[in-house]
Amino acid sequence: MRSKAAVGLLALGLGVLAQEGFPYPEGFRFWTHVKSMEIQRGHPLYEAFGGLHHIYANPQALAGYLSGKRAFPEGSVIVFDLLEARAEGQALVEGPRKLIGVMVKDSRRYPETEGWGYYAFGADGKPLAIDPKACHACHQGAANTDFVFSAFRP
Amino acid sequence: MRSKAAVGLLALGLGVLAQEGFPYPEGFRFWTHVKSMEIQRGHPLYEAFGGLHHIYANPQALAGYLSGKRAFPEGSVIVFDLLEARAEGQALVEGPRKLIGVMVKDSRRYPETEGWGYYAFGADGKPLAIDPKACHACHQGAANTDFVFSAFRP
């Protein structure tokens, strides 16, 4: 009986965990490509984000990028798709994925980080443990564009 | 009368020219982003295509990329969006657009280049004079993937 109860509690715990998390943003490669950048050795963010990244916006986030206000509507999801940057002759080509970062706008759910949830997933699609408050602290640098650093490149 | 006839012929000529060309692919920045690459100084294609490029596919071309066959359906349009690659600290960032290249699949219209039309437009959106046969000669290197070099990155 005890072990059954433990399994039950474990299942409940996992259920709660799944509800608190955010699902892998399936299909983001078919969202709109916003812009790209390579972070190179020597850059302050190299350890965390070295490589070639692309930014993708779901339809709500795209509306935010395209609006004059640069305020992102509820439901906006922005993906930071980080790939290895590989040298191939005199060219830089895309290597395997390192991780993806995700920003989600839900003002009721993420009041402590001013409306944005932050998540990350490994190349295998599994969630990575991150501190959303640390993410948001860095994104204060883009406070005047609703904490989003990137701008849509027409 | 003579000048009116000349104007008439000129208008006809321009009409034919417009029909023979291909329009600037408006909205391609909202198509699916396929992959990216930086062509650097010293690369054999640097003079023509140096910089950071992104490849975008319209829905027909995307179906081609995603099909096992790697054969592209009629109406496929692929855009090669070439930007300046700018150094900014220890990062590579997107500079202004240099040009776009366009491949169009229309087997009846482009029999001399095995079904593909090739076009280019300057940063101002105006057509550039190119030799489609020279484009296609280079694309022979991708003959086994319907003359398309890029592959979709999932």
Side-chain angles (χ1 to χ4, degrees):
Chain A
M1 284 298 287
R2 217 179 214 185
S3 65
K4 266 197 184 174
V7 170
L9 283 171
L10 183 65
L12 186 68
L14 287 173
V16 170
L17 189 67
Q19 195 175 31
E20 282 181 353
F22 191 79
Y24 186 86
E26 297 291 347
F28 75 84
R29 282 287 292 107
F30 303 102
W31 297 356
T32 303
H33 170 234
V34 176
K35 56 150 275 185
S36 300
M37 180 179 176
E38 186 204 1
I39 292 179
Q40 300 164 331
R41 201 174 294 274
H43 189 285
L45 294 173
Y46 181 76
E47 287 306 315
F49 302 126
L52 178 64
H53 69 248
H54 303 304
I55 304 290
Y56 298 95
N58 77 346
Q60 292 94 321
L62 181 63
Y65 280 110
L66 297 179
S67 74
K69 296 178 189 169
R70 293 294 307 284
F72 288 80
E74 300 293 312
S76 290
V77 183
I78 298 170
V79 169
F80 170 97
D81 186 16
L82 180 61
L83 313 172
E84 287 179 27
R86 292 201 166 167
E88 197 175 285
Q90 296 303 312
L92 172 80
V93 302
E94 298 179 341
R97 178 166 290 130
K98 294 178 76 175
L99 59 81
I100 70 165
V102 180
M103 279 180 81
V104 185
K105 184 70 169 281
D106 185 335
S107 298
R108 283 197 290 185
R109 188 169 172 185
Y110 310 110
E112 293 189 349
T113 42
E114 292 171 274
W116 286 102
Y118 296 85
Y119 298 93
F121 299 85
D124 59 2
K126 291 186 182 161
L128 299 176
I130 59 164
D131 175 5
K133 288 186 182 172
C135 298
H136 194 62
C138 185
H139 279 257
Q140 294 292 333
N144 63 355
T145 49
D146 201 4
F147 309 102
V148 172
F149 283 107
S150 52
F152 182 77
R153 178 180 59 77
Chain B
M1 285 298 286
R2 217 182 216 182
S3 65
K4 268 197 181 171
V7 169
L9 283 171
L10 183 66
L12 186 68
L14 287 172
V16 169
L17 189 68
Q19 196 174 34
E20 281 181 353
F22 192 80
Y24 185 85
E26 297 291 347
F28 76 84
R29 283 286 290 107
F30 303 102
W31 297 355
T32 303
H33 171 234
V34 176
K35 56 151 275 186
S36 299
M37 181 178 174
E38 186 204 2
I39 292 177
Q40 301 164 331
R41 202 174 293 275
H43 189 284
L45 293 173
Y46 181 77
E47 287 306 316
F49 302 126
L52 179 64
H53 69 249
H54 303 304
I55 305 289
Y56 298 95
N58 78 346
Q60 292 93 323
L62 181 63
Y65 280 110
L66 297 179
S67 73
K69 294 177 189 170
R70 294 293 307 283
F72 288 80
E74 299 295 310
S76 289
V77 182
I78 299 170
V79 169
F80 170 96
D81 185 16
L82 180 61
L83 313 172
E84 287 179 27
R86 293 202 165 167
E88 197 176 282
Q90 296 302 312
L92 171 80
V93 303
E94 297 179 344
R97 178 167 290 129
K98 295 177 75 175
L99 58 83
I100 71 164
V102 180
M103 280 180 80
V104 186
K105 184 70 170 281
D106 185 335
S107 297
R108 282 196 292 186
R109 189 169 172 187
Y110 309 110
E112 293 189 349
T113 43
E114 293 171 273
W116 287 101
Y118 296 85
Y119 298 92
F121 300 85
D124 59 2
K126 291 185 182 161
L128 300 175
I130 59 165
D131 175 4
K133 287 186 184 172
C135 298
H136 195 62
C138 186
H139 277 258
Q140 293 293 333
N144 62 356
T145 48
D146 202 5
F147 308 102
V148 173
F149 283 107
S150 52
F152 180 79
R153 179 180 58 77

